[in-house]
Each structure stands twice: as C-alpha cells, then as structure tokens.
Amino acid sequence: MRSRIRSKLILFVLAAGLVAWPLTSLYGYVTKGADKPDAERLLFQVSLFQIELLNRFLQDAARSADTRELDSLKQALYTASYTHERLVLAEGSEKLHTLGSLPQLMQYILRLQIGGERALKADEQGVLQESAKLYAQLYEAYGKLMTSSGSVVTSQSEAVSKNDEALRELLEKKLLQ
C-alpha cells in the first residue's frame, strides 16, 4: 500500500510538473514585455532631448556676435532634425508631422556663414532672436507631445505643427530676400 501511495504521489508530481511547465512558459511569454518601455517612447525621449538641445543652442545663437558662433547650432539642428524624422517614421505621418522649419533654419545659418567668419548684422541677429522665440514655443509643445503610456497627444501635435509653420514662414521670407 505504501508503494502504491508513493507511486501515485510521484505520478501526481510529474503530472503537475507537466502542466505547470507550459503554464509558466506561457505566463512568461505574455508578461515578458510588460516591464520594458516601448521603442517609440524611448525614441521620443531621445528626440525631446535633441529638441531641447536645439532650443538651448538657438537661444545662445540669438545672442551671437559673429557667424563662427553658429557652428554648434548647425550640429544641434542636424541631430534634432534626424531624430525627429525617425520619430515621425516610427509613429506615422498621420500622428506626427515633419518639422519643416529645421531645414529652413539650416539653410539660413549656412547662408549667413557662406561668406566666412564675419560679424552678424543687426537684422540677422533680429531673425535669430525671433526664431528663438518661435522655437521656444515649439519646444514647449513638443515636451507635451507624448503621454507616459506612449501615445501622441493630438492637440500638442497640432501646436507643434502650428509653431513650426510660423517659424518656417519667417525663415522662408528671409531666405527669399
């Protein structure tokens, strides 16, 4: 009788193990991604960091005296534009729009520097100051662009687009002069 109980106990443990093993594997598979943040949210954080750097460099450029001081702004422009484009690709162009003002600003900076190292004129400094003001508004809306759960806030996306358009129009007028 004892051997029968022992064999039933062994059989029960084996059966429980055979049932528990796939259940724990399935549970692990289902909950595997629960602790990890999604890639779009992480990409947004990188993009926000680049946009923040660009804001700081543009604020500094608004106080620049010569064209040589705009080099760091160009680098920040390139990286912010690159990361935002990748975010748009990840989220989709129906949720986020490209920032058309960034290439315009790059063109303006290149135009200022094309003649070499020289002092900035008063109207050129004025354009940089106005650009810095408009971009600060864009940056403020950009910071609220995505929720903590990783979804895009439509109203903030529209605010970013509106501020981007105002900055793009300002720069386009100056580039056509």
Side-chain angles (χ1 to χ4, degrees):
M1 182 135 147
R2 220 173 223 194
S3 69
R4 235 191 209 190
I5 293 174
R6 188 180 303 164
S7 64
K8 283 185 180 183
L9 182 62
I10 290 173
L11 192 57
F12 176 74
V13 169
L14 284 175
L18 287 173
V19 170
W21 174 66
L23 288 178
T24 56
S25 295
L26 183 60
Y27 177 76
Y29 177 75
V30 170
T31 61
K32 176 171 73 172
D35 296 345
K36 297 180 183 178
D38 59 309
E40 288 87 3
R41 178 75 180 145
L42 294 174
L43 183 57
F44 169 71
Q45 290 173 348
V46 171
S47 186
L48 178 59
F49 176 71
Q50 295 300 328
I51 295 291
E52 182 178 3
L53 281 176
L54 178 55
N55 184 51
R56 186 177 66 83
F57 282 117
L58 191 53
Q59 300 303 320
D60 291 346
R63 296 183 294 277
S64 295
D66 63 49
T67 58
R68 181 179 42 90
E69 295 176 28
L70 302 176
D71 287 338
S72 57
L73 175 60
K74 281 193 316 190
Q75 182 66 35
L77 262 166
Y78 175 76
T79 56
S81 180
Y82 183 84
T83 55
H84 180 74
E85 286 174 16
R86 296 310 173 269
L87 182 62
V88 170
L89 288 172
E91 288 293 331
S93 58
E94 64 280 348
K95 292 181 183 177
L96 289 176
H97 303 285
T98 59
L99 296 176
S101 62
L102 299 186
Q104 293 289 329
L105 185 55
M106 180 64 84
Q107 288 297 316
Y108 186 72
I109 299 303
L110 290 172
R111 183 173 155 186
L112 293 177
Q113 290 184 325
I114 201 96
E117 209 174 291
R118 64 172 180 81
L120 289 170
K121 298 175 187 170
D123 65 320
E124 295 168 339
Q125 286 178 324
V127 170
L128 290 172
Q129 290 167 354
E130 184 63 26
S131 296
K133 286 179 193 174
L134 291 170
Y135 189 81
Q137 294 170 359
L138 184 149
Y139 165 64
E140 184 179 332
Y142 201 95
K144 302 171 192 169
L145 191 57
M146 194 172 278
T147 65
S148 60
S149 65
S151 57
V152 175
V153 179
T154 306
S155 62
Q156 294 305 317
S157 179
E158 291 170 3
V160 168
S161 293
K162 178 183 155 203
N163 290 314
D164 176 60
E165 184 62 23
L167 181 55
R168 191 192 61 72
E169 286 176 5
L170 168 74
L171 294 165
E172 192 173 90
K173 286 178 191 175
K174 292 301 174 181
L175 285 167
L176 292 175
Q177 288 181 347

